[in-house]
């Protein structure tokens, strides 16, 4: 039982530990770029913490052309942005491909606060803070040791003074003297004077030669030149000497013993782990040790609990992979120190060290096609803060032969024969991701099937078919497929209107798509606009200008072998008149009636009416058709309809259309002249009379595929003569009245 309880407790502890890590590690990759053969850049959106984004550089020191180094402002006493330092440090054989801000620094003076050295030269002595609420309360540094391994560990920076056959530990180098300390100032101090307060003793030493640098393993010996006790005057640091600044009873006693002309030596050293290191940069706190969360500061302190931007350096267990990580924290987002440590653990790092964060958090990368380092993250203040030292991911690979081409096309898709497009080379990289300066004279264009011609970076489709364009640049090549067609699969016209007053304008645009319904590539001049009917003109841009008289016609667009059209009506601005008492000027079909009556095709009644709702008889239909078509009524053959004698008033008209097979009789040899003409019969008569053809996808709900006049009704619809009723019916068996028959005749004659 006890074993089971322990097992449950253990599982709960595992869950409690793992859940937050899983939450922090839940992230979406926004960017993933190989900056060089040994440096990978990724940008994440983290869903488990309140962050804007996380930027991550993974640096592989096993790669022969990859290293990590420090970067400093042009003037060590000043500050500079991360990207400015990195870009300036980048040169042939030493390309900075990524960088991150690093050292904590004095905000007013600009110098680093903690130990910083390179190739044993001590660039900054630094200070160690004695409170666990401070970031840097233990001597911990990141660096690359003499054997080329990355390291994050404690260090022992040792400064010893030898005087009167005794050895004393000096507290620091080239920094402000605090209570009960002894500090040595060399000519490498950022100021020419010590600037120490008057509550101490300052001893000035002269050496035989100038001190041009301060480094591990160095021993400098000098003779006392002057002693200043309780002086408010600035003590200058000699170029060929140094100054020891003492404070406190112990050091006061030593200073009191010193005499002008006595000899004192000071030595500088560091523990063997860091001796001869390529560089080392002190920071804090440590965040991860041996793959586990290990924060060397009080996590309850305000600095640790603050949710803000963060920066860190981390290494793998084999010390061959270095990780530079930044967390953006604008708009009160980011991570606290504990969350940041958890996140780094979730990445699988072995050790991690906190770097200067907050407004200093900055990461820069080298984008493809450029050697400049540009901002990759979003600083909390909206712009980069100038800093005192950075860490750089460097590719030492020399620029070599072109390896890859990145290009973009101004248009992508199926091309029309005769169309011209172009491409642009965005950048060319060698095998080490270094940019190659592009020379247009080295670009060679080819196509597999010779269906295109080239003019520089432009290409024109010559023939229909499939092809592949290939761009060669020395040893690099890039290609893309092309499909070329003689015409679009679909061509549609969009109009600003389908009717216009005389002398007014309408705008038409065409949309051409391929078989996949994607936009077809063509040159504007390939789209041809024409007008059918004497209604006006249309420009090459599809602007229609109506003529000065009313009428109907079509606007036609042609692209390659494909045509499309849209009907258009030009209306007169003159108010229409009417000669019939039962046709108002507001009648929607007054234009059609006036046209037919003006031509003498149809007449009204003696009482001055038109009677638009009267049904058309079969005899009247014969009369109207013969008039409009101008049929010869003299040379006719008797159709021998039993109910149409030669004395019938419309005998000749009925005979004329029967002779042309425009209309046929009914059963028993009769014509049924007084019978009402149905809409289906009308369709057949008009199709026969005007040789109409065509089909349409439009279906009428009351016209089945088996209907005797289905083909004629379809042809009439395809020709634009009829549209049916609004309810989707055609009403084939209903009689057609004088108004509708007039409309059909008008449309068919235009």
């Amino acid at each position: 039982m006890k074993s089971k309880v322990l097992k449950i407790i253990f599982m709960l502890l595992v869950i409690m530990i793992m859940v937050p890590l899983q939450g922090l590690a839940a992230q979406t990759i926004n960017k993933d770029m190989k900056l060089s053969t040994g440096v990978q850049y990724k940008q994440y959106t983290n869903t488990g913490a309140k962050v804007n984004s996380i930027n991550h550089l993974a640096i592989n020191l096993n790669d022969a052309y990859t290293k990590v180094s420090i970067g400093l402002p042009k003037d060590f006493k000043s500050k500079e942005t991360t990207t400015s330092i990195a870009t300036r440090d980048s040169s042939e054989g030493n390309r900075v491909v990524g960088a991150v801000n690093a050292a904590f620094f004095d905000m007013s003076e600009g110098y680093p606060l903690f130990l910083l050295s390179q190739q044993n030269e001590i660039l900054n002595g630094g200070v160690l803070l004695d409170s666990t609420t401070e970031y840097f309360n233990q001597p911990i540094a990141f660096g690359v040791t003499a054997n080329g391994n990355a390291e994050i560990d404690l260090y022992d920076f040792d400064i010893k003074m030898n005087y009167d056959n005794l050895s004393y530990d000096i507290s620091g180098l080239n920094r402000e003297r605090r209570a009960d300390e002894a500090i040595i100032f060399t000519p490498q101090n950022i100021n020419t004077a010590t600037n120490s307060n008057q509550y101490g003793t300052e001893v000035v030493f002269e050496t035989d030669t100038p001190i041009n640098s301060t480094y591990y393993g160095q021993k400098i010996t000098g003779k006392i030149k002057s002693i200043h006790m309780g002086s408010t005057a600035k003590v200058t640091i000699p170029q060929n000497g140094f100054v020891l600044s003492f404070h406190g009873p112990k050091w006061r006693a030593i200073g009191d013993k010193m005499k002008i002309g006595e000899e004192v030596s000071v030595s500088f050293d560091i523990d063997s782990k860091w001796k001869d290191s390529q560089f080392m940069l002190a920071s804090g706190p440590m965040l991860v040790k041996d793959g586990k969360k290990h924060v060397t500061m009080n996590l309850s302190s305000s600095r640790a609990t603050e949710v803000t931007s963060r920066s860190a350096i981390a290494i793998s267990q084999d010390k061959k992979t270095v990780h530079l990580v930044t967390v953006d924290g604008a708009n009160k987002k980011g991570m606290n120190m504990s969350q940041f440590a958890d996140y780094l653990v979730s990445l699988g790092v072995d050790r991690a060290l906190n770097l200067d964060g907050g407004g200093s958090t900055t990461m820069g990368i080298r984008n493809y096609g450029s050697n400049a380092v540009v901002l990759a993250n979003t600083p909390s203040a909206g712009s980069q803060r100038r800093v005192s030292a950075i860490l750089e991911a460097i590719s030492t690979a020399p620029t070599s032969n072109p390896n890859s081409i990145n290009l973009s096309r101004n248009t992508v898709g199926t091309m029309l024969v005769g169309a011209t497009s172009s491409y642009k080379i965005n950048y060319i990289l060698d095998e080490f991701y270094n940019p190659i300066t592009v020379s247009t004279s080295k670009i060679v264009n080819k196509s597999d099937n010779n269906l295109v011609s080239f003019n520089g970076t432009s290409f024109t489709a010559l023939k229909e078919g499939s092809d592949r364009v290939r761009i060669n640049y020395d040893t690099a090549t890039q290609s893309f497929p092309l499909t070329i067609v003689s015409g679009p699969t679909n061509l549609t016209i969009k109009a600003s209107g389908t009717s216009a007053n005389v002398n007014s304008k309408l705008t038409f645009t065409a949309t051409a798509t391929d078989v996949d319904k994607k936009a077809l590539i063509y040159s504007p001049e390939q789209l041809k606009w024409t007008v059918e009917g004497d209604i006006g003109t249309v420009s090459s841009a599809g602007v229609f200008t109506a003529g000065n008289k009313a009428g109907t016609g079509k606007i036609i667009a042609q692209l390659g072998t494909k045509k499309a059209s849209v009907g258009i009506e030009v209306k007169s601005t003159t108010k229409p008149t009417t000669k019939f008492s039962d046709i108002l000027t507001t009648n929607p079909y007054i234009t059609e009636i006036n046209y037919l009556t003006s031509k003498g095709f149809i007449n009204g009644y003696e009482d001055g009416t038109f009677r638009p709702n009267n049904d058309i008889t079969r005899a009247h239909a014969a009369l109207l058709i013969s008039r409009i078509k101008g049929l010869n009524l003299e040379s006719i053959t008797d159709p021998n309809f039993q109910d149409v004698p030669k004395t019938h008033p419309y005998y000749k008209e009925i005979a004329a259309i029967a002779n042309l097979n425009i209309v046929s009789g009914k059963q028993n040899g009769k014509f049924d002249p007084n019978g009402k003409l149905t809409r289906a019969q009308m369709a057949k008569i008009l199709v026969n009379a005007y040789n109409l053809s065509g089909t349409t996808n439009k279906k009428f709900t009351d016209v089945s595929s088996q209907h005797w006049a289905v083909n004629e009704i379809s042809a009439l619809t395809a020709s634009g003569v009829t549209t049916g009723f609004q309810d989707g019916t055609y009403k084939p068996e209903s009689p057609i009245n004088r108004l509708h028959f007039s409309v059909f005749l008008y449309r068919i004659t235009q």
Side-chain angles (χ1 to χ4, degrees):
M1 182 67 180
K2 182 177 180 181
S3 174
K4 187 174 182 180
V5 171
L6 289 174
K7 186 176 181 180
I8 292 173
I9 292 174
F10 175 76
M11 291 177 66
L12 288 173
L13 288 172
V14 170
I15 292 172
M16 291 172 65
I17 294 171
M18 291 303 295
V19 167
L21 298 187
Q22 291 170 346
L24 285 170
Q27 52 197 13
T28 301
I29 298 177
N30 299 325
K31 296 180 181 179
D32 191 348
M33 298 171 59
K34 203 167 183 64
L35 303 182
S36 67
T37 53
V39 181
Q40 190 79 28
Y41 165 69
K42 292 184 180 181
Q43 185 184 81
Y44 313 105
T45 296
N46 188 281
T47 58
K50 294 174 62 178
V51 297
N52 294 311
S53 65
I54 296 174
N55 291 273
H56 183 181
L57 287 170
I59 307 163
N60 178 16
L61 298 183
N62 281 316
D63 182 81
Y65 295 107
T66 301
K67 69 176 185 178
V68 179
S69 187
I70 55 173
L72 302 171
K74 194 171 185 180
D75 181 355
F76 189 69
K77 300 177 184 179
S78 65
K79 297 175 290 184
E80 199 172 339
T81 64
T82 298
T83 58
S84 176
I85 296 172
T87 299
R88 190 184 62 253
D89 286 350
S90 189
S91 60
E92 177 65 26
N94 190 82
R95 296 299 184 191
V96 179
V97 299
V100 68
N101 70 293
F104 287 87
F105 59 94
D106 182 277
M107 293 290 286
S108 57
E109 297 289 340
Y111 57 83
L113 290 175
F114 310 131
L115 180 66
L116 185 63
S117 67
Q118 189 172 27
Q119 302 295 343
N120 282 336
E121 183 179 3
I122 306 165
L123 304 176
N124 188 70
V127 65
L128 183 65
L129 305 175
D130 55 9
S131 171
T132 59
T133 63
E134 301 288 350
Y135 293 121
F136 190 68
N137 58 74
Q138 293 185 27
I140 304 172
F142 162 76
V144 177
T145 57
N147 60 7
N149 287 338
E151 186 61 88
I152 294 176
D153 206 352
L154 294 166
Y155 64 86
D156 183 11
F157 178 36
D158 190 24
I159 309 175
K160 291 190 179 297
M161 178 185 75
N162 290 287
Y163 169 64
D164 196 21
N165 296 319
L166 294 175
S167 178
Y168 302 91
D169 289 327
I170 300 297
S171 307
L173 166 68
N174 292 333
R175 66 166 174 81
E176 181 183 3
R177 186 201 70 211
R178 298 180 300 180
D180 298 316
E181 282 191 331
I183 301 296
I184 181 171
F185 291 93
T186 68
Q188 286 68 54
N189 188 50
I190 63 169
N191 295 309
T192 58
T194 64
N195 294 328
S196 301
N197 60 44
Q198 70 270 31
Y199 307 112
T201 300
E202 302 216 306
V203 183
V204 180
F205 293 84
E206 188 176 65
T207 57
D208 293 336
T209 58
I211 301 174
N212 297 319
S213 65
T214 310
Y215 52 88
Y216 305 133
Q218 181 184 30
K219 182 178 180 179
I220 56 177
T221 301
K223 292 182 180 180
I224 299 175
K225 183 178 181 181
S226 62
I227 300 174
H228 307 265
M229 299 180 63
S231 173
T232 57
K234 287 187 176 182
V235 176
T236 301
I237 306 166
Q239 286 299 307
N240 59 331
F242 58 93
V243 176
L244 286 171
S245 182
F246 304 135
H247 180 270
K250 169 188 171 182
W251 295 107
R252 173 66 181 269
I254 295 172
D256 287 346
K257 289 173 58 179
M258 290 182 171
K259 302 292 187 291
I260 301 296
E262 286 187 308
E263 191 173 85
V264 174
S265 65
V266 179
S267 61
F268 306 90
D269 217 338
I270 198 151
D271 52 299
S272 59
K273 178 189 289 289
W274 294 105
K275 193 69 172 290
D276 298 322
S277 61
Q278 295 177 21
F279 72 90
M280 60 181 297
L281 181 147
S283 191
M286 184 179 279
L287 300 173
V288 179
K289 185 178 181 181
D290 300 327
K292 299 177 182 178
K293 183 176 179 178
H294 180 82
V295 183
T296 57
M297 76 175 294
N298 185 346
L299 288 176
S300 299
S301 65
S302 59
R303 288 185 174 90
T305 58
E306 182 183 9
V307 175
T308 186
S309 304
R310 300 286 179 182
S311 302
I313 182 85
I315 62 174
S316 60
Q317 188 175 21
D318 65 359
K319 305 181 188 299
K320 289 299 184 181
T321 303
V322 177
H323 302 271
L324 298 176
V325 182
T326 63
V327 172
D328 284 348
N331 301 319
K332 298 182 180 180
K333 294 183 178 180
M335 291 184 183
N336 62 36
M337 195 68 73
S338 179
Q339 290 171 329
F340 195 31
D342 284 336
Y343 177 74
L344 293 168
V345 169
S346 75
L347 295 180
V349 303
D350 184 64
R351 294 194 175 193
L353 182 66
N354 183 62
L355 301 174
D356 188 14
S360 298
T361 295
T362 307
M363 180 176 286
I365 63 169
R366 175 182 74 168
N367 277 326
Y368 293 149
S370 171
N371 282 316
V373 178
V374 297
L375 191 63
N377 76 313
T378 304
S380 58
S383 60
Q384 294 185 68
R385 175 183 287 173
R386 293 182 298 124
V387 297
S388 64
I390 67 172
L391 288 167
E392 299 173 338
I394 296 172
S395 171
T396 61
T399 302
S400 62
N401 294 326
N403 183 65
S404 63
I405 301 173
N406 180 276
L407 57 83
S408 57
R409 295 157 59 186
N410 69 330
T411 52
V412 178
T414 303
M415 292 184 70
L416 182 70
V417 171
T420 296
S421 187
S422 64
Y423 67 85
K424 173 186 176 184
I425 293 182
N426 299 318
Y427 53 82
I428 299 177
L429 303 179
D430 67 9
E431 61 181 309
F432 304 112
Y433 300 86
N434 293 316
I436 302 294
T437 302
V438 179
S439 171
T440 55
S441 63
K442 293 184 178 182
I443 300 173
V444 178
N445 299 305
K446 294 181 179 179
S447 74
D448 290 356
N449 298 321
N450 297 318
L451 301 184
V452 295
S453 63
F454 296 93
N455 182 14
T457 57
S458 296
F459 52 94
T460 301
L462 302 177
K463 298 178 182 179
E464 186 174 11
S466 297
D467 207 342
R468 177 169 284 275
V469 172
R470 299 187 185 276
I471 295 93
N472 298 310
Y473 191 95
D474 284 348
T475 53
T477 184
Q478 181 60 280
S479 70
F480 54 85
L482 269 187
T483 298
I484 304 171
V485 295
S486 59
T489 303
N490 301 290
L491 182 63
T492 58
I493 299 176
K494 182 179 180 181
S496 60
T498 56
S499 64
N501 292 329
V502 293
N503 300 318
S504 65
K505 295 181 183 295
L506 292 175
T507 302
F508 295 85
T509 56
T511 301
T513 57
D514 61 14
V515 68
D516 297 320
K517 298 183 179 180
K518 294 182 179 179
L520 183 71
I521 300 171
Y522 62 91
S523 302
E525 63 272 12
Q526 291 182 279
L527 179 63
K528 307 297 183 182
W529 292 98
T530 55
V531 179
E532 182 181 285
D534 186 20
I535 56 172
T537 60
V538 64
S539 72
S540 60
V543 177
F544 169 74
T545 302
N548 56 11
K549 62 180 180 179
T552 59
K554 293 180 180 179
I555 299 296
I556 301 171
Q558 181 168 358
L559 190 58
T561 57
K562 191 78 170 182
K563 285 185 178 182
S565 64
V566 60
I568 185 169
E569 178 185 10
V570 175
K571 296 181 178 180
S572 173
T573 54
T574 304
K575 187 175 180 180
T577 59
T578 178
K579 57 187 285 189
F580 303 110
S581 60
D582 55 352
I583 299 295
L584 302 178
T585 58
T586 56
N587 189 294
Y589 301 119
I590 191 171
T591 299
E592 289 85 344
I593 294 172
N594 284 346
Y595 173 79
L596 292 176
T597 55
S598 67
K599 296 290 186 179
F601 295 151
I602 191 170
N603 300 314
Y605 292 88
E606 293 180 356
D607 61 358
T609 61
F610 184 78
R611 303 178 189 178
N613 295 321
N614 280 10
D615 296 332
I616 289 284
T617 65
R618 288 167 59 82
H620 283 150
L623 173 65
L624 293 174
I625 293 296
S626 64
R627 283 180 181 174
I628 293 174
K629 291 188 69 66
L631 299 181
N632 186 344
L633 302 182
E634 300 304 324
S635 300
I636 56 174
T637 301
D638 187 356
N640 296 316
F641 292 127
Q642 297 179 17
D643 52 355
V644 184
K646 292 181 180 180
T647 57
H648 192 283
Y650 301 134
Y651 165 77
K652 290 183 178 182
E653 288 81 356
I654 293 172
I657 66 172
N659 291 165
L660 295 176
N661 294 320
I662 294 174
V663 67
S664 59
K666 291 189 174 183
Q667 295 177 352
N668 302 321
K670 294 183 179 181
F671 181 75
D672 189 17
N674 296 321
K676 295 180 179 179
L677 185 70
T678 67
R679 290 171 59 83
Q681 292 169 347
M682 175 218 51
K684 185 174 181 63
I685 290 173
L686 293 180
V687 166
N688 290 341
Y690 292 95
N691 296 317
L692 301 180
S693 62
T695 59
T696 177
N697 293 327
K698 184 171 183 178
K699 304 297 181 184
F700 297 110
T701 58
D702 55 353
V703 180
S704 72
S705 60
Q706 305 302 316
H707 193 281
W708 67 268
V710 63
N711 293 332
E712 288 79 3
I713 294 171
S714 180
L716 205 65
T717 305
S719 300
V721 177
T722 184
T723 58
F725 292 91
Q726 291 183 349
D727 62 359
T729 63
Y730 180 76
K731 302 180 180 178
E733 312 309 328
S734 296
I736 186 165
N737 59 31
R738 285 167 55 82
L739 178 63
H740 286 167
F741 197 68
S742 299
V743 172
F744 291 147
L745 290 175
Y746 174 83
R747 290 176 181 172
I748 209 167
T749 56
Q750 295 303 301

